C-alpha cells in the first residue's frame, strides 16, 4: 500500500479529486488521505463539502505521492500563501508529486516545476507559460512526466493520470483491469487540443498584439505569414516572435495553425461540407494538408474528429458504427 496525500482547499474542482481517487481506490494499492490547511472540510467548486483526514501540517515523514487537484480555470477560487508554503515542504518530502488541471499552476507557484516540462488545462496553458517562463509547457499533452513530477491536463485527464500511476506502481494488468471496470480508455486517443473551445483568443496587455490575435481569429484563411503579421503590428519579425512567445506561449506560426485548426473543428462539428472544402475555408490548403495538420495538432484525423464530435447520439446502424 503506497501512501498518497490529496491536498485540497476551498474551491477545488470536485472531479479533479473524485476522478483520480476513484481510480486509485479501485486499484486497492494506495492508502489515500485528504488534507487541508487547517484539517477542516473544504467546499468544492460545485458547492459539495469534502471531508478531510488531517491538516497538511500534521503529515509527518516521507510520503509516496502528493496529489494536487486544481481550481476552475481561468479564475476560480485559489488557495492562499499558507497552502503554497505547506505545498513546498510536502513536495520536497514526497517521492512523487502529481497535479490535475490548474493544480500545475499551484505547483509552479510553489517552485516545484522550475526547469521542468508540464501541462495543464488547455484554457490555462498560456497563463502557465507566461507567468512561469522557467516551465516548458506542453499544451496538447494529456499528462506529462518529468522526473518525480507528473502533471495532467484538465478535469477528466486526472483519470488518465491515475491510471498511469497505477500502471507505474502496480503493473499494466492491474491498470487495464481498473480501466475496464471504470469503462474508460487505458490510454485515450489524441491530445487535449481536440477538447479546446473555439475562438479562445489569449489575453495580452500589448495593444498591437491583441489586434493581431483578433484579426487572425476573425479570418483564419487570411494571409498570416510572419512577414505580413510583423508589418501589421509594425514590429520586426524577431520582435513579434518574442512577443508571441512571452504573451501567448507559442510562435506566430503555431498560433495561426491553432486558430485554423479550431475553425476547421467548428465546421467539422456543424457543417456538411467536405473535408477539402473546410480545409480551403480555414486556410489549411488541401484535405491532405489538413489531415497532416490535424494529426500533429489534435492527434487524430479530420474524419475521425467529425465522427467523434458531430453528435453525441449513438450510431443508428452497424454501418454507421464502423
Amino acid at each position: 500500500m503506497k501512501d498518497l496525500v490529496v491536498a485540497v482547499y476551498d474551491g477545488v474542482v470536485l472531479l479533479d479529486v473524485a476522478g483520480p481517487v476513484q481510480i486509485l481506490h479501485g486499484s486497492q494499492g494506495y492508502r489515500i488521505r485528504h488534507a487541508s490547511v487547517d484539517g477542516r472540510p473544504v467546499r468544492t467548486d460545485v458547492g459539495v463539502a469534502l471531508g478531510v483526514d488531517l491538516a497538511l501540517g500534521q503529515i509527518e515523514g516521507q510520503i509516496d505521492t502528493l496529489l494536487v487537484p486544481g481550481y476552475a480555470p481561468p479564475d476560480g477560487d485559489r488557495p492562499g500563501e499558507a497552502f503554497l508554503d505547506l505545498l513546498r515542504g510536502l513536495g520536497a518530502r514526497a517521492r512523487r508529486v502529481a497535479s490535475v488541471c490548474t493544480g500545475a499552476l499551484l505547483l509552479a507557484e510553489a517552485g516545484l516545476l522550475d526547469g521542468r516540462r508540464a501541462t495543464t488545462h488547455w484554457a490555462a496553458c498560456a497563463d502557465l507559460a507566461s507567468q512561469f517562463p522557467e516551465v516548458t509547457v506542453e499544451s496538447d499533452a494529456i499528462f506529462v512526466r518529468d522526473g518525480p513530477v507528473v502533471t495532467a491536463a484538465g478535469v477528466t485527464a486526472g483519470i488518465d493520470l491515475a491510471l498511469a500511476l497505477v500502471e507505474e506502481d502496480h503493473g499494466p494488468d492491474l491498470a487495464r483491469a481498473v480501466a475496464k471496470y471504470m469503462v474508460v480508455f487505458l490510454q485515450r486517443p489524441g491530445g487535449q487540443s481536440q477538447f479546446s473551445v473555439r475562438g479562445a483568443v489569449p489575453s495580452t496587455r500589448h495593444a498591437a498584439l491583441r489586434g493581431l490575435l483578433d484579426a487572425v481569429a476573425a479570418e483564419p484563411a487570411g494571409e498570416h505569414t510572419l512577414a505580413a503579421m510583423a508589418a501589421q503590428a509594425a514590429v520586426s519579425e524577431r520582435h513579434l516572435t518574442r512577443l508571441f512567445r512571452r504573451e501567448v506561449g507559442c510562435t506566430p506560426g503555431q498560433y495561426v495553425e491553432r486558430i485554423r485548426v479550431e475553425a476547421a473543428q467548428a465546421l467539422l462539428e456543424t457543417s456538411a461540407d467536405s473535408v477539402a472544402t473546410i480545409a480551403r475555408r480555414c486556410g489549411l490548403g488541401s484535405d491532405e494538408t489538413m489531415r497532416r495538420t490535424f494529426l500533429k495538432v489534435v492527434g487524430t484525423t479530420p474524419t475521425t474528429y467529425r465522427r467523434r464530435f458531430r453528435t453525441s447520439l449513438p450510431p443508428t446502424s452497424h454501418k454507421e458504427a464502423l
Side-chain angles (χ1 to χ4, degrees):
M1 296 286 286
K2 293 184 177 295
D3 187 30
L4 185 140
V5 173
V6 185
V8 295
Y9 49 89
D10 283 331
V12 69
V13 173
L14 178 60
L15 193 53
D16 282 9
V17 178
V21 168
Q22 193 72 53
I23 294 292
L24 297 167
H25 174 78
S27 75
Q28 300 182 2
Y30 301 88
R31 175 197 180 205
I32 302 170
R33 294 182 290 169
H34 295 77
S36 65
V37 169
D38 55 10
R40 296 179 180 177
V42 299
R43 174 187 48 79
T44 65
D45 66 316
V46 295
V48 175
L50 183 66
V52 304
D53 300 293
L54 73 171
L56 288 165
Q58 292 177 320
I59 299 170
E60 299 178 349
Q62 295 286 326
I63 57 175
D64 184 79
T65 302
L66 174 65
L67 178 64
V68 183
Y71 52 90
D75 53 4
D77 294 339
R78 302 173 67 164
E81 194 60 39
F83 180 88
L84 297 174
D85 285 342
L86 290 164
L87 202 58
R88 291 184 188 98
L90 287 172
R93 289 156 43 199
R95 178 183 72 85
R96 178 174 60 195
V97 177
S99 68
V100 182
C101 195
T102 49
L105 279 87
L106 301 178
L107 294 187
E109 286 188 64
L112 299 175
L113 291 184
D114 290 355
R116 297 192 183 278
R117 296 177 298 109
T119 194
T120 185
H121 192 287
W122 60 263
C125 281
D127 286 341
L128 181 60
S130 61
Q131 293 176 29
F132 304 99
E134 66 277 13
V135 180
T136 300
V137 180
E138 297 190 3
S139 59
D140 191 42
I142 298 297
F143 61 87
V144 172
R145 169 122 198 200
D146 189 331
V149 181
V150 194
T151 52
V155 199
T156 60
I159 293 173
D160 302 76
L161 168 69
L163 286 168
L165 299 184
V166 172
E167 182 171 2
E168 178 183 320
D169 294 339
H170 304 290
D173 290 342
L174 180 58
R176 190 176 299 110
V178 173
K180 183 177 180 180
Y181 182 79
M182 296 296 295
V183 198
V184 295
F185 288 114
L186 180 57
Q187 183 176 6
R188 77 170 80 187
Q192 66 167 320
S193 292
Q194 61 188 307
F195 304 104
S196 67
V197 174
R198 256 59 77 205
V201 179
S203 60
T204 174
R205 290 168 292 185
H206 195 283
L209 184 58
R210 177 69 193 190
L212 193 58
L213 297 176
D214 289 338
V216 174
E219 190 180 358
E223 183 185 358
H224 302 307
T225 63
L226 179 59
M229 288 192 291
Q232 183 177 341
V235 297
S236 70
E237 294 179 16
R238 179 175 295 182
H239 184 57
L240 182 66
T241 300
R242 284 198 297 267
L243 280 175
F244 262 86
R245 288 193 179 279
R246 186 183 72 205
E247 301 284 333
V248 186
C250 64
T251 67
Q254 288 169 335
Y255 175 74
V256 172
E257 184 177 66
R258 191 182 84 197
I259 290 296
R260 286 173 171 168
V261 167
E262 290 185 350
Q265 286 175 294
L267 289 175
L268 287 169
E269 293 172 11
T270 61
S271 159
D273 288 343
S274 68
V275 171
T277 299
I278 291 173
R280 290 193 297 271
R281 289 179 61 184
C282 298
L284 290 170
S286 67
D287 53 352
E288 180 55 33
T289 300
M290 180 168 159
R291 182 179 183 277
R292 289 198 303 268
T293 304
F294 259 62
L295 283 171
K296 179 177 71 172
V297 177
V298 185
T300 190
T301 66
T303 302
T304 300
Y305 180 89
R306 168 174 266 172
R307 186 166 60 242
R308 188 176 297 158
F309 290 99
R310 183 74 181 274
T311 178
S312 60
L313 297 176
T316 56
S317 69
H318 177 65
K319 182 178 180 181
E320 227 181 290
L322 296 175

